[in-house]
Amino acid sequence: MRLVASLALLLTLVAPAHLPAQGADDSRPASTNVRGAPYPRVHPDGRVTFQLSAPHARSVIMNPGGGDNGLGPALTMQRGEDGVWTGTTAPAVPGLHYYWFLVDSVRVNDPGSETFFGWGRQSSAVDVPDPNGDFYAARDVPHGEVRERWYRSETTGDWRQAYVYTPAAYDDDPDRRYPVLYLQHGAGEDGRGWVKQGRMNLIMDNLIAEGRAEPMIVVMETGYATAAASGQGGAAAPGGEQGPPPNAFPELVIEDLIPMIDSIYRTLPDRENRAMAGLSMGGGQTMQITLSNLDRFAWIGAFSGAFGQNPDPATAYGGVFADPDRMNRDVRLLYFSAGTEEPRFHEHAVAITAWLQDAGFENVVLFESPGTSHEWQTWRRSLRDFVPRLFRR
Amino acid sequence: MRLVASLALLLTLVAPAHLPAQGADDSRPASTNVRGAPYPRVHPDGRVTFQLSAPHARSVIMNPGGGDNGLGPALTMQRGEDGVWTGTTAPAVPGLHYYWFLVDSVRVNDPGSETFFGWGRQSSAVDVPDPNGDFYAARDVPHGEVRERWYRSETTGDWRQAYVYTPAAYDDDPDRRYPVLYLQHGAGEDGRGWVKQGRMNLIMDNLIAEGRAEPMIVVMETGYATAAASGQGGAAAPGGEQGPPPNAFPELVIEDLIPMIDSIYRTLPDRENRAMAGLSMGGGQTMQITLSNLDRFAWIGAFSGAFGQNPDPATAYGGVFADPDRMNRDVRLLYFSAGTEEPRFHEHAVAITAWLQDAGFENVVLFESPGTSHEWQTWRRSLRDFVPRLFRR
């Protein structure tokens, strides 16, 4: 017989490169790195050191994802003799920051980083530890699950994935039913963001274990949908003048997503047990969907974003805010948040809260995240503050 | 009061770029693209057209992931006047192919592609349709879930994620228990590969819906583990002569993973209801783990890889193959597979099967995937062929 010895090498049970977890300078590989990648490294004071091998490049820049990104301004990296480019930021704001390299102006992911869907593509990101970040750490508490649920949407005519957090005890008592929070990402992100960037499952696990939040189901979907009817018609329209079709996500939530969730999971399917929240664009979508469907939702949260194309609460959302009595009867929570370092969103959240409270609205809450900008640390903190307020009687 | 009108633009419910799904040349964006990305495009004959904007680059090469990759050889792309580089392959083998761009020799992901963890990093990939690929398509059948399960490993001393497929009816009957398949990825990949690259959940859904496979739980973990005891000691050892610690994955499977799965999920926790399979490196790990623990496993599969550092079956795995009687009593299935276009793995699978059959082993099965190489299409087909053989009496 003939066996192939060269297979041995290929099939060796490879252990990954074993690199020191802590360097001579006390920096450590970021928690967001892929297994074994030494860079980026985070220093105890929050500085971040980046590295990329690009021997033939003329310039390498570390580009933070967004102007108000907590990593600071774009960082011009320095070439070493070995063609490896290195750069270190000033101390960064805690939390997860998108970034990429510009190598001779081509946008390049960092091979050392896990990827996170943001900015309409898979991007690199680095998570800078927060001294008060224990609320999103994996702790020795009962853990829920995040379930990838495939379902067919009649609205879009295709198969989609929802991500469904079920609390730790979900499978223990087959008779118990749970309230549901629908939780949305921001523009350029997708249904995976709240788990992967936001660590929402750990935040929920910790809050529930501490008795600070009701056990609940959390549903995350991708906030973009093209109606089946518009299909591929947009581009085929006469003269090419037809723009992109409107986002059919609100219709999808009402017609497809909620019925599917209520049919498959043990939900409490009434309005008093259904909440929706979202960040940035997802906050606007939350306001749009919930305020048009107050027979379905009683708890509403907008993190760093709410008012869409009409920033005047007197006339926004079909004038729903003209009737404080109805709102006070139907809405158990109307929640706004922002980071103090995202001035436009922060000013907006403060102003809308004041306007509503002055107009006689009850159940209006403002949360401000100190020192954070239009980024996931604002939204992790918002979720931690928001969730304990839900489904309380 | 003061509301900020400039928010309107930021919060607009953005519909993604609406691009023609089908071009004048009948090519279509790959199913593996991120939402709205027009490239890469797959032609009806399997050719793939790649595109990247890199105005200042001196050369752009599309580099398939691996020498026997079904995309063919590395492709030198051509620069257009607008600085956009384009190239088209010859007709590609069906299935999912890793690739990346080399931009002046820097390895760059395609911003149009979703990312897939392979080659030790997040890589681009393109899925070329298979005319016979209906078995991994999302069809109108009951769908199971893939659950992300966090658990603490005593072996490694840290928190890990297992990915657990539960069949469609799992939550319907709280008294029913299921057999379990442990399913491993290859070198440089991780526990997400079988779902994301392999579409195993759709393969399982379809087989179960057709009545061709027993409903079962499938557990996927990352096949790399560093024992807590070795910890960070590797680098700190005197003289720096200590190599990387051995992979503690086999210990983790036996001591941590199986007990956790059997305690949390409704499993049938005996050897007759426990299988393990893996691809490439994961096939070697499967043989190593199952053959040392025949009190725990009765069904064994090695896809494109099996024999690790000792390719001689007469002495491999502690000489377990010296005792055909015991093997015939304990092992209900010993399954080998390979693609016909991965010659070394194919020859190995053919040879080992023949050797075992000649030596009097029963329950030995060989599956050959026509026309595919050391790639996911081989392993998707292997899974489809393997799973219906499990847990049958």
Side-chain angles (χ1 to χ4, degrees), chain B residues 168 211 309 339:
Chain B
Q309 291 176 313

Side-chain angles (χ1 to χ4, degrees), chain B residues 171-392:
Chain B
D171 278 338
D172 295 346
D173 179 354
D175 295 320
R176 181 167 175 180
R177 305 184 76 87
Y178 295 86
V180 184
L181 165 63
Y182 291 81
L183 186 61
Q184 288 303 122
H185 60 83
E189 299 174 333
D190 71 12
R192 299 171 288 191
W194 265 108
V195 173
K196 200 162 175 182
Q197 285 93 307
R199 297 170 72 89
M200 65 71 65
N201 55 314
L202 301 177
I203 295 172
M204 298 299 301
D205 292 341
N206 291 330
L207 287 172
I208 293 169
E210 291 165 2
R212 294 186 54 217
E214 290 289 317
M216 68 186 74
I217 293 168
V218 185
V219 178
M220 295 150 284
E221 238 277 28
T222 296
Y224 297 105
T226 304
S230 68
Q232 297 156 17
E241 290 172 10
Q242 188 175 330
N247 192 346
F249 182 67
E251 181 185 346
L252 179 139
V253 169
I254 300 299
E255 302 296 333
D256 300 334
L257 183 62
I258 292 175
M260 182 276 287
I261 293 293
D262 284 338
S263 73
I264 292 181
Y265 299 92
R266 296 194 314 276
T267 63
L268 292 163
D270 61 306
R271 68 181 299 285
E272 292 287 325
N273 287 291
R274 193 178 294 120
M276 186 169 185
L279 70 91
S280 196
M281 177 187 85
Q285 291 177 313
T286 294
M287 297 288 279
Q288 178 187 13
I289 292 168
T290 57
L291 296 175
S292 311
N293 294 279
L294 285 174
D295 55 328
R296 290 185 171 86
F297 295 95
W299 313 80
I300 303 168
F303 310 158
S304 304
F307 267 69
Q309 291 176 313
N310 183 352
D312 179 2
T315 56
Y317 301 111
V320 70
F321 292 114
D323 187 352
D325 290 344
R326 184 196 173 200
M327 290 289 285
N328 289 339
R329 186 191 69 217
D330 287 349
V331 177
R332 306 295 300 268
L333 178 63
L334 187 54
Y335 182 97
F336 301 95
S337 76
T340 60
E341 300 307 308
E342 47 173 345
R344 292 173 304 176
F345 293 92
H346 184 230
E347 288 167 20
H348 175 67
V350 169
I352 189 67
T353 307
W355 188 93
L356 289 167
Q357 288 170 338
D358 289 349
F361 286 83
E362 304 162 0
N363 307 322
V364 175
V365 171
L366 171 68
F367 170 73
E368 297 160 276
S369 167
T372 61
S373 67
H374 203 64
E375 285 210 285
W376 278 96
Q377 201 70 349
T378 299
W379 307 320
R380 289 170 175 169
R381 291 176 181 170
S382 296
L383 188 71
R384 174 186 55 169
D385 185 75
F386 175 73
V387 162
R389 303 174 187 273
L390 296 178
F391 312 124
R392 302 289 193 182

Side-chain angles (χ1 to χ4, degrees), chain A residues 309-334:
Chain A
Q309 292 176 313
N310 183 352
D312 179 3
T315 56
Y317 300 111
V320 70
F321 292 115
D323 187 352
D325 289 345
R326 184 195 172 203
M327 291 289 285
N328 289 340
R329 187 191 68 216
D330 287 350
V331 178
R332 307 294 300 270
L333 177 64
L334 188 54

Side-chain angles (χ1 to χ4, degrees), chain A residues 58-327:
Chain A
R58 284 153 290 194
S59 81
V60 177
I61 293 166
M62 188 287 295
N63 198 89
D68 51 7
N69 180 300
L71 280 178
L75 177 70
T76 300
M77 295 169 66
Q78 304 301 316
R79 188 185 191 284
E81 288 183 13
D82 51 359
V84 175
W85 300 70
T86 306
T88 299
T89 67
V93 175
L96 183 131
H97 309 295
Y98 293 115
Y99 72 96
W100 46 86
F101 296 124
L102 295 173
V103 178
D104 296 342
S105 83
V106 175
R107 189 163 156 176
V108 175
N109 280 345
D110 186 339
S113 171
E114 182 57 55
T115 50
F116 301 83
F117 197 76
W119 299 86
R121 63 172 73 186
Q122 291 283 3
S123 288
S124 302
V126 57
D127 206 337
V128 175
D130 187 331
N132 300 310
D134 196 44
F135 71 94
Y136 56 87
R139 283 153 44 189
D140 192 13
V141 300
H143 285 267
E145 292 177 326
V146 177
R147 306 179 178 198
E148 182 177 310
R149 161 60 56 185
W150 287 61
Y151 74 105
R152 188 171 171 84
S153 161
E154 292 302 318
T155 299
T156 65
D158 58 12
W159 288 89
R160 296 174 64 97
Q161 291 88 54
Y163 298 87
V164 182
Y165 170 84
T166 52
Y170 185 81
D171 278 339
D172 294 347
D173 179 355
D175 294 321
R176 180 166 177 181
R177 304 184 76 87
Y178 295 86
V180 185
L181 165 63
Y182 291 81
L183 186 61
Q184 287 303 121
H185 59 84
E189 298 173 334
D190 71 12
R192 299 171 288 190
W194 266 108
V195 173
K196 200 162 174 183
Q197 285 93 307
R199 298 169 73 88
M200 65 72 64
N201 54 314
L202 301 178
I203 295 172
M204 297 299 301
D205 291 341
N206 291 331
L207 287 172
I208 293 169
E210 292 165 0
R212 293 186 55 216
E214 291 287 318
M216 67 185 76
I217 294 167
V218 184
V219 178
M220 295 151 283
E221 238 277 28
T222 296
Y224 298 105
T226 305
S230 67
Q232 297 155 17
E241 292 173 8
Q242 189 175 330
N247 192 346
F249 182 67
E251 182 185 347
L252 179 139
V253 169
I254 300 299
E255 302 297 332
D256 301 334
L257 183 61
I258 291 175
M260 182 277 287
I261 293 293
D262 284 338
S263 73
I264 292 181
Y265 299 91
R266 298 194 313 278
T267 63
L268 292 163
D270 61 305
R271 66 181 300 285
E272 292 288 326
N273 287 292
R274 193 177 293 119
M276 185 169 185
L279 70 91
S280 196
M281 177 187 85
Q285 292 177 313
T286 294
M287 296 289 279
Q288 178 188 14
I289 292 168
T290 57
L291 295 176
S292 311
N293 295 278
L294 285 174
D295 56 329
R296 289 185 172 85
F297 295 94
W299 313 80
I300 304 169
F303 309 158
S304 304
F307 267 70
Q309 292 176 313
N310 183 352
D312 179 3
T315 56
Y317 300 111
V320 70
F321 292 115
D323 187 352
D325 289 345
R326 184 195 172 203
M327 291 289 285

Side-chain angles (χ1 to χ4, degrees), chain A residues 1-3 7 13-14 56 58 114-115 122 145-148 171 224 265 288 311 313 348 351 355, chain B residues 1-3 7 13-14 56 58 114-115 122 145-148 171 192 224 265 288 311 313 348 351 355:
Chain A
M1 71 164 291
R2 179 174 162 222
L3 286 180
L7 274 179
L13 306 185
V14 184
H56 306 295
R58 284 153 290 194
E114 182 57 55
T115 50
Q122 291 283 3
E145 292 177 326
V146 177
R147 306 179 178 198
E148 182 177 310
D171 278 339
Y224 298 105
Y265 299 91
Q288 178 188 14
H348 175 67
W355 187 93
Chain B
M1 70 166 290
R2 178 172 163 225
L3 285 183
L7 275 179
L13 306 186
V14 184
H56 306 297
R58 284 154 290 192
E114 182 57 54
T115 49
Q122 290 283 2
E145 293 177 326
V146 177
R147 306 178 178 198
E148 182 177 311
D171 278 338
R192 299 171 288 191
Y224 297 105
Y265 299 92
Q288 178 187 13
H348 175 67
W355 188 93

Side-chain angles (χ1 to χ4, degrees), chain B residues 52-233:
Chain B
L52 183 75
S53 176
H56 306 297
R58 284 154 290 192
S59 83
V60 177
I61 293 166
M62 187 287 294
N63 197 89
D68 50 6
N69 180 300
L71 281 177
L75 177 69
T76 300
M77 295 170 66
Q78 303 301 316
R79 187 187 191 284
E81 288 183 13
D82 51 0
V84 175
W85 300 69
T86 306
T88 299
T89 67
V93 175
L96 183 130
H97 310 294
Y98 294 115
Y99 72 96
W100 47 85
F101 296 125
L102 294 173
V103 179
D104 295 342
S105 83
V106 176
R107 190 164 157 175
V108 175
N109 280 346
D110 187 340
S113 171
E114 182 57 54
T115 49
F116 300 85
F117 198 75
W119 298 86
R121 61 172 74 186
Q122 290 283 2
S123 287
S124 302
V126 57
D127 206 336
V128 175
D130 188 330
N132 300 310
D134 197 44
F135 72 95
Y136 56 86
R139 283 154 45 188
D140 192 14
V141 300
H143 286 266
E145 293 177 326
V146 177
R147 306 178 178 198
E148 182 177 311
R149 161 60 53 185
W150 286 61
Y151 73 105
R152 188 172 172 82
S153 161
E154 291 303 316
T155 299
T156 65
D158 58 14
W159 288 89
R160 295 175 64 98
Q161 292 88 55
Y163 298 88
V164 182
Y165 170 85
T166 52
Y170 185 82
D171 278 338
D172 295 346
D173 179 354
D175 295 320
R176 181 167 175 180
R177 305 184 76 87
Y178 295 86
V180 184
L181 165 63
Y182 291 81
L183 186 61
Q184 288 303 122
H185 60 83
E189 299 174 333
D190 71 12
R192 299 171 288 191
W194 265 108
V195 173
K196 200 162 175 182
Q197 285 93 307
R199 297 170 72 89
M200 65 71 65
N201 55 314
L202 301 177
I203 295 172
M204 298 299 301
D205 292 341
N206 291 330
L207 287 172
I208 293 169
E210 291 165 2
R212 294 186 54 217
E214 290 289 317
M216 68 186 74
I217 293 168
V218 185
V219 178
M220 295 150 284
E221 238 277 28
T222 296
Y224 297 105
T226 304
S230 68
Q232 297 156 17

